[in-house]
Amino acid sequence: MFITVEGSEGAGKSTNLEFIQERLQAAGKELVMTREPGGTELGEEIRELLLGHKHDGMSDDCELLLMFAARAEHLNRVIKPALNKGKWVVCDRFTDATYAYQGGGRGIPMQRIEALENWVQGELRPDLTLFLDVPVDIGMKRAGERSAPDRFERQQIDFFERVRTCYLERARSDAVRYRIIDAGQSLEDVQRDIAKVLTKVLE
Ligand code: T5A
């Protein structure tokens, strides 16, 4: 299984990834927990370029291509080898984030992202994607209370509204792959809903 976890800022991905890890390990699954951008030494360096403020004026195309450069490395060195060994891979963000942030947020045509997706991933797509959905104002408040804003978190509210709309459109268009989790609820309720999805997957 290749599982990805998505959400807009402050949706609670990090908090819930630990919960997901515990659940799947308790069920005896051999897991690789990883993240994007990042997941390899080179990918983590690219992450610093993307999230830090050294290159605040980076062009949208450069941002998109760096996301896929990190992803190509991640797929070849971590994700595909793990899946080939029969392990479960749980990834904190993947290509849906590119559609949402670079497509929805930045306005890069979706066909360009699709072309890169096909090139870098071939046929590989996640088997399951949990989309933690939270209203933008709540998510931004949570993220703001947690840490200083990275390069993406400095965007305006309308950017994040477009990101959320794109995620929701994608999730609603493919009910087989996506599960939408209401992440605006209390953590207890969010984790109850995630546990329900995982129980079905494990069955
Ligand atoms: N990106 C990424 C792209 O633009 N394109 C791409 O292709 C990819 C892969 C990556 C950035 O890169 C962009 C998107 C991102 O901007 P990231 O670290 O993955 O950065 O993304 P962040 O959204 O910044 O993720 P975080 O891990 O920082 O935030 P989380 O995981 O969503 O939120 P979390 O768990 O840290 O929670 C935030 C706060 O809220 C609390 C937590 O305790 C924490 O304090 N919280 C709750 N409070 C109340 N009720 C709940 N239900 C709560 N859940 C969490």
Side-chain angles (χ1 to χ4, degrees):
M1 282 291 275
F2 178 27
I3 300 176
T4 58
V5 181
E6 300 279 356
S8 41
E9 306 301 311
K13 288 180 298 92
S14 307
T15 311
N16 289 299
L17 275 156
E18 279 178 42
F19 175 76
I20 293 169
Q21 180 174 14
E22 282 162 20
R23 281 284 161 137
L24 294 178
Q25 279 174 342
K29 299 298 167 196
E30 208 182 329
L31 280 189
V32 172
M33 302 294 296
T34 187
R35 70 172 181 179
E36 291 212 348
T40 62
E41 196 181 340
L42 174 54
E44 291 296 326
E45 286 180 25
I46 295 176
R47 180 185 177 94
E48 271 182 48
L49 296 175
L50 282 162
L51 268 60
H53 295 290
K54 190 172 170 196
H55 304 289
D56 269 342
M58 180 186 299
S59 71
D60 294 350
D61 284 347
C62 178
E63 183 180 286
L64 172 67
L65 292 167
L66 284 176
M67 290 293 176
F68 271 103
R71 184 162 298 136
E73 190 71 0
H74 194 201
L75 278 163
N76 286 314
R77 295 199 181 273
V78 177
I79 297 178
K80 285 190 201 163
L83 292 173
N84 288 340
K85 284 184 192 150
K87 295 181 183 172
W88 285 39
V89 175
V90 179
C91 192
D92 181 350
R93 294 195 190 278
F94 194 61
T95 306
D96 287 298
T98 314
Y99 281 103
Y101 283 78
Q102 281 65 53
R106 302 283 192 221
I108 294 178
M110 298 298 177
Q111 303 91 296
R112 287 195 194 160
I113 299 174
E114 210 177 312
L116 288 167
E117 180 183 38
N118 289 332
W119 177 16
V120 169
Q121 293 170 224
E123 303 275 296
L124 184 70
R125 301 290 181 275
D127 299 299
L128 173 71
T129 297
L130 297 175
F131 172 53
L132 304 186
D133 179 43
V134 70
V136 172
D137 53 342
I138 299 179
M140 294 307 288
K141 188 166 177 285
R142 285 185 193 163
E145 283 166 3
R146 182 210 49 204
S147 59
D150 62 32
R151 204 173 58 84
F152 287 97
E153 287 164 350
R154 281 207 185 155
Q155 295 300 312
Q156 302 299 313
I157 292 285
D158 59 339
F159 174 91
F160 294 109
E161 293 290 1
R162 292 197 298 278
V163 168
R164 183 183 182 209
T165 301
C166 180
Y167 267 132
L168 281 170
E169 281 172 5
R170 290 178 64 76
R172 286 175 183 147
S173 72
D174 183 357
V176 175
R177 167 153 82 92
Y178 297 90
R179 301 289 182 282
I180 302 175
I181 305 286
D182 176 2
Q185 313 174 85
S186 69
L187 191 55
E188 198 184 4
D189 289 345
V190 173
Q191 294 188 339
R192 182 205 55 216
D193 289 354
I194 292 175
K196 272 190 208 161
V197 173
L198 295 181
T199 303
K200 283 220 159 149
V201 168
L202 289 163
E203 278 168 10

